[in-house]
Amino acid sequence: MARKTWAAAATGMAVAALLLMLGAIPNPAASQIPDEVLVVGQIAEPKSLDPHAVTATNDFRILMNLYDGLVRFRSGTLEVEPALARSWEVAEDGKTYTFHLRDGVDFHDGTPFDAEAVKFNFDRMLDEKHPQHDTGPFPLAFFFSAVERAEAVDPLTVRFHLKEPYAPLLSNLAYPTGLLVSPTAVRAKGKEFGRQPVGTGAYRFAQWESNAKVVLERNADYWDGPPTLQAVIFRPLTDANTRLTELLAGGLDLMVEVPPDAVDLLRKAGGFTLYEQAGPHLWFLILNTREGPFKDPRARQAVNYAIDKQALVDQVLQGTATVADSIVPAAFEWAHDDTVEPYPHDPERARRLLREAGAESAELTFLVAEGGSGMLAPIPMATAIQADLAKVGLKVTIRTYEWNTYLGLVNQGLAGKADMAQMAWMTNDPDTLPFLTLRTEALPESGGFNSGYYSNPEVDRLLLEARRSTDRNGRAELYKRIQRIVREDAPWAFVANWKQNAVTTDRVKGFELQPSFLLNLAHVSKSGG
């Protein structure tokens, strides 16, 4: 049943492939898009262009080109390098970070970037009494919860005073939540800032036409050298078939998150370059541990045994992902426990565990996204999982939602709504995912993303110890212990780690995938067709 459903979903791709083989679709080199303009096919409409107010990689891909942070990830790595801060020092006790800022940088509105601007950004997120705090909410301000206060020492020096040592700070400053906005623009626009953004980045905001395009234009005064392109247009095309057809017809220069069905097609078509790279991604099912059958860990383990993850990876995702084993993806080599094995596909063991838990023939509600950042093929994957769970006696009802609606629903927690929900995270540090989604204090009612209400005091303790440790080997051992505990508790079904991908026409030069899953277009150009 699942295979038939997946095949039906792929029909549009097959049509596009046939058209290409017949030469019915123009060569992308014949595109009418000017050489100085890059058109990017996005998977969804952005929610906001305020970096402090969004959580989706879909939005981050635009933001990274509008704004800068104090630091950034060195291209091709997750290592941090200077950006708007030229350099920094960390006190011996790990509780004070002093940043020396780049001189002569202005925001796109002409106001100066300085230490007061940095202080404004973090005060706005972290101080509930700040005059512009009501321009939030700031869902990932968790990243900076260890910051007690930011101090503008002089115009080009800013100091962060921490409550305690916090190992992920630099990595989190390089993440989109650490991007710096214009204080003047926030004061002037208020909650509308997210529709009229102002940063210091390689491109400045030009236009946002809802459900049609976001246009960025070249910042000729960019401190790191002006980009070659005159403009970048981000087009939200939520249907994967539509994105592919637009690319084949020459309406896009760059398409992210290529559907599994299209990977081989584009690789063989000519005129395109396909990029693939393993990264810190995890696709999983959140299980509702507060109520229903998944209060019992044996029922949660049963779901993990019941799902044929290898078949999902091989047949639905067509080799574009690998089977996940735990909460820390193998891309974080230093923190990943190689001794942890994925749950094997064992339906008989799943049935036994369900009997022991008294959950035989349970009826489950399963929330499913229609698309979304890193969500891969959510509906075909959901139907395959539904079929696997039916084989062990579980009756699953699927409810699907548009991506931004889905995020709003799931992030508020599953209580009273569902027994399980899909989710995918792409992260910059092994701390991020478990700290924001599995900690007892990260429940939705407390502003966190622990939508399944998992709670284990030992995991809480280890997570806090790991982020306070400044010794990388020590941190690694703590994350490995957390992986082993969480695998046994099974608050999630661990399903797949995606090999991120993107495709460009051969006219696009200088493009690179980043392990952070972010999209840096400052050094991308196009050649004539």
Side-chain angles (χ1 to χ4, degrees), residues 221-292:
D221 301 319
Y222 189 47
W223 61 269
D224 201 20
T228 302
L229 295 166
Q230 287 294 327
V232 180
I233 300 173
F234 294 87
R235 293 181 57 196
L237 299 166
T238 56
D239 179 74
N241 292 342
T242 303
R243 284 202 305 281
L244 180 62
T245 302
E246 285 278 352
L247 179 77
L248 295 172
L252 300 177
D253 298 300
L254 167 61
M255 171 179 168
V256 295
E257 303 199 27
V258 182
D261 317 22
V263 169
D264 276 345
L265 161 67
L266 292 169
R267 188 177 281 127
K268 296 171 183 174
F272 300 99
T273 302
L274 185 71
Y275 301 81
E276 287 184 303
Q277 183 184 74
H281 166 277
L282 178 63
W283 197 104
F284 56 99
L285 300 181
I286 304 168
L287 305 178
N288 184 346
T289 68
R290 177 174 286 179
E291 59 194 15

Side-chain angles (χ1 to χ4, degrees), residues 350-363:
R351 293 187 194 96
R352 187 172 71 245
L353 286 164
L354 288 171
R355 283 196 299 274
E356 291 173 5
E360 302 155 285
S361 304
E363 297 186 6

Side-chain angles (χ1 to χ4, degrees), residues 117-408:
V118 178
K119 175 176 166 53
F120 172 93
N121 273 261
F122 290 91
D123 287 353
R124 175 196 180 213
M125 277 191 282
L126 300 174
D127 181 1
E128 294 181 359
K129 297 180 181 176
H130 188 271
Q132 277 72 47
H133 187 72
D134 65 353
T135 56
F138 309 112
L140 294 183
F142 272 99
F143 281 147
F144 306 113
S145 57
V147 176
E148 185 173 67
R149 64 186 174 93
E151 175 191 8
V153 178
D154 62 44
L156 294 179
T157 307
V158 66
R159 185 167 292 144
F160 286 78
H161 299 273
L162 308 188
K163 300 168 188 169
E164 57 190 3
Y166 179 50
L169 179 64
L170 289 174
S171 177
N172 288 347
L173 286 172
Y175 209 59
T177 314
L179 295 172
L180 299 169
V181 305
S182 161
T184 302
V186 172
R187 291 187 183 106
K189 306 297 181 184
K191 290 186 177 180
E192 290 301 308
F193 175 80
R195 297 286 300 199
Q196 302 170 63
V198 178
T200 62
Y203 296 92
R204 64 180 75 222
F205 175 75
Q207 181 188 9
W208 182 349
E209 185 179 337
S210 295
N211 298 309
K213 60 186 175 185
V214 171
V215 182
L216 311 186
E217 61 184 19
R218 179 174 183 259
N219 176 11
D221 301 319
Y222 189 47
W223 61 269
D224 201 20
T228 302
L229 295 166
Q230 287 294 327
V232 180
I233 300 173
F234 294 87
R235 293 181 57 196
L237 299 166
T238 56
D239 179 74
N241 292 342
T242 303
R243 284 202 305 281
L244 180 62
T245 302
E246 285 278 352
L247 179 77
L248 295 172
L252 300 177
D253 298 300
L254 167 61
M255 171 179 168
V256 295
E257 303 199 27
V258 182
D261 317 22
V263 169
D264 276 345
L265 161 67
L266 292 169
R267 188 177 281 127
K268 296 171 183 174
F272 300 99
T273 302
L274 185 71
Y275 301 81
E276 287 184 303
Q277 183 184 74
H281 166 277
L282 178 63
W283 197 104
F284 56 99
L285 300 181
I286 304 168
L287 305 178
N288 184 346
T289 68
R290 177 174 286 179
E291 59 194 15
F294 296 139
K295 285 180 68 175
D296 191 316
R298 292 169 295 186
R300 305 195 296 262
Q301 292 170 347
V303 168
N304 274 281
Y305 284 117
I307 298 172
D308 189 348
K309 299 161 188 169
Q310 194 63 54
L312 271 173
V313 164
D314 292 341
Q315 296 166 14
V316 178
L317 300 179
Q318 302 182 60
T320 59
T322 57
V323 173
D325 54 32
S326 71
I327 57 167
V328 177
F332 291 122
E333 293 180 2
W334 62 275
H336 179 258
D337 188 341
D338 294 334
T339 68
V340 173
E341 295 288 336
Y343 275 88
H345 182 221
D346 190 341
E348 185 50 45
R349 192 169 181 178
R351 293 187 194 96
R352 187 172 71 245
L353 286 164
L354 288 171
R355 283 196 299 274
E356 291 173 5
E360 302 155 285
S361 304
E363 297 186 6
L364 306 173
T365 299
F366 182 13
L367 303 185
V368 172
E370 293 175 351
S373 307
M375 294 299 285
L376 310 182
I379 294 176
M381 293 175 77
T383 54
I385 289 169
Q386 181 187 45
D388 283 343
L389 297 184
K391 292 172 185 171
V392 298
L394 298 174
K395 300 173 184 176
V396 177
T397 298
I398 291 175
R399 293 181 181 165
T400 60
Y401 298 88
E402 179 274 332
W403 175 232
N404 285 320
T405 303
Y406 181 83
L407 280 181

Side-chain angles (χ1 to χ4, degrees), residues 139-140 142 284-290 300 407 409-415 417 421 423 425 432-457 459-460 463 486 490-492:
L140 294 183
F142 272 99
F284 56 99
L285 300 181
I286 304 168
L287 305 178
N288 184 346
T289 68
R290 177 174 286 179
R300 305 195 296 262
L407 280 181
L409 192 68
V410 174
N411 287 345
Q412 291 174 10
L414 300 188
K417 302 172 193 162
M423 190 50 68
W425 276 65
T432 308
L433 181 58
F435 195 82
L436 296 184
T437 61
L438 289 177
R439 202 167 36 97
T440 304
E441 292 187 359
L443 296 175
E445 48 264 44
S446 302
F449 297 91
N450 187 351
S451 299
Y453 318 101
Y454 173 66
S455 178
N456 182 319
V459 170
D460 294 344
L463 282 170
V486 173
W492 301 341

